Amino acid sequence: MTGSEESPSFRLAYVPGVTPAKWVKVWHERLPDIPLTLVQVPAAEAPELLRAGEADAGLVRLPVDRDFFSAIPLYTETSVVVVPKDHLITAADEVTLADLADEVLFHPLDDVFDWAAPPGEPAFERPATTPDAIELVAANVGLLVVPQSLARLYHRRDLTYRPVVDAPQSSVALSWPQEATTDLVEDFIGIVRGRTVNSTRGRTTSARAGDGRPADGRAAASAGRSQSGKKPRRAEQPGGGRQQPAAKSSGRGRQARASGSGPAAKRGKPRRRS
């Protein structure tokens, strides 16, 4: 490798609330020689970061510009309302938007929901961020509807949440620029889709680097094959026949011999056992 060449690496952006740990773990197991760098980015800034090439792919919230980005939806989150622990809403297991009609609901500037008409009473101002809105909820100023992962991310001991059954929902997807579908992006696609290492569409570091190691890691099996690709023959006896396992010996240690060869064929009737 010359000094001008860069070692391969993969940069994965992810937005708040998304936990990429399980996919990162599989990446390290399958491609240990290729570093994966995590880049946390606010949800609203993720598309521009990917456009600028500052990450190879991202775990983002839908929607995205499908004219520019490819996207694989991964899951849809439950929407919840964050409330103080002593709020009346905590008496219910779940609520509807109608139950929140008389409540002050915050609509932060980084809200991940595309509300056609935000429910509830409007707040005196829009908080700049979701964490700012959480602080206001803790101060008993109003309530906040968010995806469940954000309620967990910004958890406070004095707050809790309840599912909102008819609220908009947020979906998380793996997204990347269509014109930048690299081999490493394909590798990560295979991981998030649950493909095995032996998948026909799977790829591995060793196969890509051309180091001669088997792509599926079965080095021992491949090493036993001849250069022609055939399995090695079993050991043969000097006479040309394949070696067979020895027959069980009798009490006196005699072994069974092949019929028609050697002195064993001329022996008389076997003695009766006493």
Side-chain angles (χ1 to χ4, degrees):
M1 179 178 294
T2 65
S4 60
E5 294 178 337
E6 295 183 0
S7 300
S9 62
F10 187 71
R11 297 161 299 172
L12 178 67
Y14 69 103
V15 299
V18 175
T19 306
K22 62 180 179 180
W23 297 307
V24 173
K25 178 181 178 182
V26 176
W27 177 279
H28 289 321
E29 291 172 349
R30 294 188 184 179
L31 300 102
D33 299 329
I34 298 183
L36 187 153
T37 302
L38 292 174
V39 182
Q40 188 172 33
V41 59
E45 299 176 15
E48 290 307 315
L49 182 137
L50 291 172
R51 286 179 185 272
E54 296 179 19
D56 299 292
L59 297 170
V60 304
R61 294 189 182 277
L62 295 176
V64 296
D65 180 2
R66 289 303 186 99
D67 292 331
F68 185 85
F69 294 106
S70 294
I72 299 175
L74 301 177
Y75 58 88
T76 298
E77 292 195 69
T78 298
S79 299
V80 301
V81 58
V82 181
V83 301
K85 279 192 171 181
D86 59 355
H87 198 281
L88 290 176
I89 283 178
T90 60
D93 292 331
E94 58 186 28
V95 298
T96 66
L97 290 177
D99 297 324
L100 306 177
D102 296 330
E103 302 285 347
V104 173
L105 288 183
F106 293 112
H107 183 50
L109 296 177
D110 66 351
D111 196 342
V112 300
F113 297 125
D114 185 18
W115 295 101
E121 296 292 331
F124 59 93
E125 64 178 354
R126 294 187 64 182
T129 66
T130 297
D132 292 338
I134 292 287
E135 293 294 328
L136 293 172
V137 174
N140 284 295
V141 180
L143 309 181
L144 175 67
V145 178
V146 291
Q148 184 170 311
S149 66
L150 292 182
R152 291 174 174 172
L153 177 64
Y154 303 123
H155 171 71
R156 289 174 52 115
R157 298 179 65 179
D158 54 348
L159 299 179
T160 188
Y161 57 84
R162 291 292 185 271
V164 185
V165 295
D166 56 350
Q169 294 179 311
S170 176
S171 296
V172 173
L174 174 66
S175 183
W176 67 95
Q178 295 178 9
E179 300 300 324
T181 308
T182 64
D183 289 341
L184 293 179
V185 170
E186 288 284 3
D187 286 329
F188 199 78
I189 291 171
I191 290 172
V192 299
R193 281 185 164 170
R195 296 177 191 152
T196 66
V197 71
N198 297 326
S199 169
T200 56
R201 297 185 63 182
R203 302 175 63 257
T204 64
T205 307
S206 58
R208 181 168 49 256
D211 61 5
R213 290 178 293 177
D216 59 3
R218 293 176 292 183
S222 295
R225 297 178 183 271
S226 64
Q227 293 182 354
S228 64
K230 298 180 180 179
K231 293 183 179 179
R233 295 180 179 178
R234 296 182 180 177
E236 297 184 355
Q237 294 179 342
R242 291 187 177 178
Q243 185 175 357
Q244 300 294 333
K248 294 182 180 180
S249 61
S250 67
R252 297 187 180 184
R254 294 193 304 271
Q255 294 183 344
R257 300 178 184 269
S259 61
S261 62
K266 297 180 180 180
R267 292 188 177 184
K269 297 181 179 179
R271 298 177 181 179
R272 295 182 178 178
R273 294 183 180 178
S274 57

